[in-house]
Amino acid sequence: MEDPEEPRGESPSAEEGHSSKHRSLIRPHSAKGKKPSSRSSTSSTPEPTVGGLRRPWSAHPKTRADVSKKKLVRDNLKRSHMRPPNRRQKHKDEETPTEGNKADDTQVIGLECAGLDYKPQRYKVRDESADYEAHGEDTLDHGVNTLVSESSRFPGSPEHSWAMTQVKEKDARSETKKQHPSFETWIMPSPHDSEDYDTDLETDMLKNMEEVKQKLLKKQKKKTKKEADKPIDPTGKTTYLDQCKRDGLIPVSYLSRHLGDRNLRMRHHYLGGLATKPVARALEFNTVTENLDLGDNYLEGDGAVYLCRMLKDNMFIVTLDISNNFIQSRGARAVASMLEVNTTLKTLSLSGNQLCDRDAQYFMEALKNNSSLTSLDLSNNEFGEAGGTYIAAALVGNESITDLDLSWNSLRNKGAEAIGKALSTNQVLEVLDVSWNGFGMPGCRGLQLGLRVNSKLRVLDISNNRINKNCAKELSLGLSKNFGLETLLMNLNALTDEGIETILKAVNQNQTLTYVSLQEMNINISNYKRIQQMESEKDITILHGGLGGVQRYTPQTSVLKVLSKFLKEHKIDLEGALRQQDKDHSGSLQHEEVKLAFKEAGLRLTNRQIDTLVEEIDVTHSGSIKWEDILTGQVLTEYNKRKTSNAYKIAEVDQDTLFNNMKRRQLTVI
């Protein structure tokens, strides 16, 4: 080494030699360990040089002694996808790539260092995109590239067999991932399995599978054959019995006998909500019954829900009566949803079901969309002021209801006024019964505005509505200008003589009224003479309470008098309607059929009046009436005979009871 005290810039050659000498001592910053001194110390082993320069200390190859003992040896790895091929020392000619091989397909793992017995292996990296296209996304082993040794390309070598085994395992795993786990895929052998591994167990399972399939096919054929051989039941009796057995209920014998009737009427049987389910199920398949009456059976909301579900599918039932069944709000919602779908139901009775103002809102929306219902009975419920407002809104939008019964509710003030005003818009309603409410002055004011314009209303019943003489003055303004009303019922109102006189003057001016009822109200001599004069001059019938108890009319005599007058004018129309209802040509009709015939013929009475009329003309009280006796007037003569005989019997019974009571008193005194 040269003297370090020699000056640096004497000659360029010396400067270059000096700089090259120092450059050989420089080590990179990334090298670890103690920085060697500029003045090199003597070492036992000479450091290898590359091109005359010293290698960095960090680039020296490490011996096996330097490797940590905690590091796992590759030969100890047991997973197949992580175990590398056996490394054998190859010839130098095999390690160098030939001209046919591509350098881009190989990757060198390890470093080749002089002086160590370690040579790197070259591995061929499989193309991920080609592998993905060939076997799908699931064939990638968690992002690990499968390395195949270059030496494994030679057939017959252990590396080649190991590589082929790995490829087969990978393909089998990808195929099993694609299959859905099911019983058939579990039984069927894999397409990659060899036939050398087939066992008798698999063949037995396949045979059992075929036997199970054959048994299922036989059962299905037997079932379809039974259904084909099963007779068609249009009445639904078989369905009713099966459903009762399924639900653990005792069938009602009356229903099982009468499910095939055209008019099915079963009242007062305490059917209950759960027992209504088999009835509704049977009626889904019934194509015979048209009039269904289940009044007073305590159906509640559950029974109403079952029936309404049935009516969404049944297109044969025309009349439904579920009055006095306590369906309440739940049943009201079910009925409202049914009315929006059903297109065949014409008459619906919901009387006495504890419906309130909130339920009236459901009917408001349903009645606006329904176009088939013609008669609706909402009497004996709990509709108040708000309920009257909702019902009035429904009347404005509805175009099918001709008969509406709102009697025995709590309609008053704004609700009553809204219903009266709705008559000015509604041009379909013909019968309106609002009796036994609290119309008073607001209701009469609304009726006065509606009657002025309305020309379709034929019957108006405002009995027992707190109408006094002042209300009569308001109402008379509408009656005098109305030109469509035919029947007016004003019974049980506190009109007094002055109020009755006001109403009679308005009736005299009206040109269409033919029937007026002022029963249960006494009249004076002047009003009595006025009534006699009007009946003689005009074709009108005025029923009243009589003068001093003389000529007092009863509801029975009133409706029979109306029927006799109707027969004289519309006998031909009534005969056609009665013949149409008698489909089996038996000559007798049930009560519901007679009521429908009266309405179709044009007899405009309230529901209560029609019920009273039908009960009175049923001479035998058997539930059926010979319709020819109605046309000939035989029912009227029979009623008159029965009336006198009944009065005699009642008087006779009263005398017997009085005589017996007197005997008992005498015996007790003695």
Side-chain angles (χ1 to χ4, degrees), residues 3 27 31 48 112 128 134 152 180 189 236 308 346 386 463 474 583 599 618 629:
D3 190 3
R27 55 182 295 190
E112 182 179 2
E128 292 184 6
S152 64
H180 296 285
C308 291
K346 293 184 178 181
S463 301
E474 191 74 28
K583 294 184 178 181
K599 290 183 179 181
D618 185 7
D629 293 344

Side-chain angles (χ1 to χ4, degrees), residues 63 68 80 105 118 122 134 140 157 167 176 186 190 217 247 251 294 372 413 484 524 550 582 609:
T63 62
S68 176
S80 60
D105 297 339
Y118 176 79
R122 291 182 178 271
L140 298 178
S157 62
V167 170
T176 55
W186 179 70
S190 174
L217 290 174
D247 295 341
L294 295 176
S372 61
N413 298 333
N524 55 18
V550 181
D582 188 13
Q609 288 177 323

Side-chain angles (χ1 to χ4, degrees), residues 393-642:
L395 287 176
V396 171
N398 184 270
E399 297 180 355
S400 62
I401 294 180
T402 59
D403 189 348
L404 179 61
D405 191 351
L406 295 172
S407 60
W408 290 89
N409 279 284
S410 300
L411 304 174
R412 56 176 60 90
N413 298 333
K414 291 183 180 180
E417 186 176 2
I419 290 175
K421 289 181 179 179
L423 296 176
S424 60
T425 307
N426 185 287
Q427 297 296 326
V428 181
L429 192 64
E430 296 183 0
V431 180
L432 177 61
D433 187 354
V434 290
S435 60
W436 295 86
N437 282 284
F439 266 48
M441 181 59 74
C444 290
R445 189 181 297 113
L447 288 173
Q448 180 254 333
L449 296 175
L451 291 174
R452 280 175 174 265
V453 183
N454 188 285
S455 60
K456 292 293 182 179
L457 191 66
R458 297 288 183 267
V459 180
L460 176 62
D461 189 353
I462 51 176
S463 301
N464 198 3
N465 263 290
R466 302 177 184 175
I467 299 175
N468 53 22
K469 59 180 182 180
N470 297 326
C471 299
K473 292 179 181 178
E474 191 74 28
L475 187 62
S476 62
L477 297 176
L479 289 174
S480 58
K481 296 184 179 180
N482 181 271
F483 46 91
L485 196 64
E486 297 176 357
T487 302
L488 176 63
L489 308 176
M490 296 185 65
N491 307 320
L492 292 169
N493 282 299
L495 293 176
T496 67
D497 294 334
E498 185 179 353
I500 293 175
E501 183 180 355
T502 305
I503 294 296
L504 291 175
K505 289 180 180 179
V507 170
N508 193 22
Q509 295 177 4
N510 189 287
Q511 301 299 323
T512 56
L513 276 171
T514 58
Y515 179 83
V516 179
S517 179
L518 300 173
Q519 298 183 55
E520 304 298 331
M521 291 183 289
N522 292 326
I523 57 175
N524 55 18
I525 298 176
S526 60
N527 290 333
Y528 179 77
K529 291 180 179 180
R530 186 176 285 106
I531 291 172
Q532 296 295 326
Q533 183 180 0
M534 290 173 61
E535 287 181 343
S536 60
E537 294 178 355
K538 297 178 63 175
D539 186 14
I540 189 172
T541 301
I542 301 176
L543 305 179
H544 53 83
L547 179 62
V550 181
Q551 295 182 352
R552 183 176 296 274
Y553 293 98
T554 62
Q556 291 79 6
T557 57
S558 301
V559 293
L560 288 171
K561 189 174 182 179
V562 173
L563 177 60
S564 61
K565 184 177 180 180
F566 182 79
L567 285 173
K568 294 177 182 178
E569 299 176 355
H570 306 281
K571 185 177 181 179
I572 298 176
D573 298 335
L574 182 58
E575 183 180 0
L578 292 171
R579 286 184 182 276
Q580 186 177 3
Q581 293 295 326
D582 188 13
K583 294 184 178 181
D584 55 355
H585 305 287
S586 62
S588 60
L589 298 176
Q590 301 293 326
H591 285 188
E592 296 297 331
E593 295 172 344
V594 175
K595 292 177 186 178
L596 291 174
F598 281 153
K599 290 183 179 181
E600 291 176 2
L603 180 61
R604 299 307 178 193
L605 294 174
T606 61
N607 293 331
R608 191 175 294 103
Q609 288 177 323
I610 291 180
D611 292 340
T612 304
L613 176 61
V614 173
E615 289 176 1
E616 292 299 326
I617 63 178
D618 185 7
V619 180
T620 59
H621 298 285
S622 60
S624 61
I625 304 171
K626 293 183 178 180
W627 56 270
E628 291 183 354
D629 293 344
I630 299 175
L631 297 175
T632 57
Q634 184 68 24
V635 292
L636 299 176
T637 57
E638 290 291 338
Y639 170 76
N640 294 328
K641 291 179 181 179
R642 189 174 70 255

Side-chain angles (χ1 to χ4, degrees), residues 128 140-145:
E128 292 184 6
L140 298 178
D141 250 321
H142 306 289
V144 179
N145 294 331

Side-chain angles (χ1 to χ4, degrees), residues 274-313:
L274 183 60
T276 313
K277 184 178 179 181
V279 182
R281 182 67 176 168
L283 290 173
E284 286 182 6
F285 305 97
N286 187 293
T287 59
V288 180
T289 303
E290 296 182 5
N291 304 312
L292 178 63
D293 187 353
L294 295 176
D296 193 18
N297 273 286
Y298 205 76
L299 302 180
E300 295 185 307
D302 295 337
V305 169
Y306 293 136
L307 290 176
C308 291
R309 287 177 184 173
M310 175 269 299
L311 287 171
K312 289 182 179 180
D313 299 327

Side-chain angles (χ1 to χ4, degrees), residues 37 57 107 120 175 191 210 233 528 550 591-592 655:
S37 174
W57 180 83
Q107 180 177 351
E175 291 295 331
E210 291 295 331
D233 185 15
Y528 179 77
V550 181
H591 285 188
E592 296 297 331
Q655 290 175 3

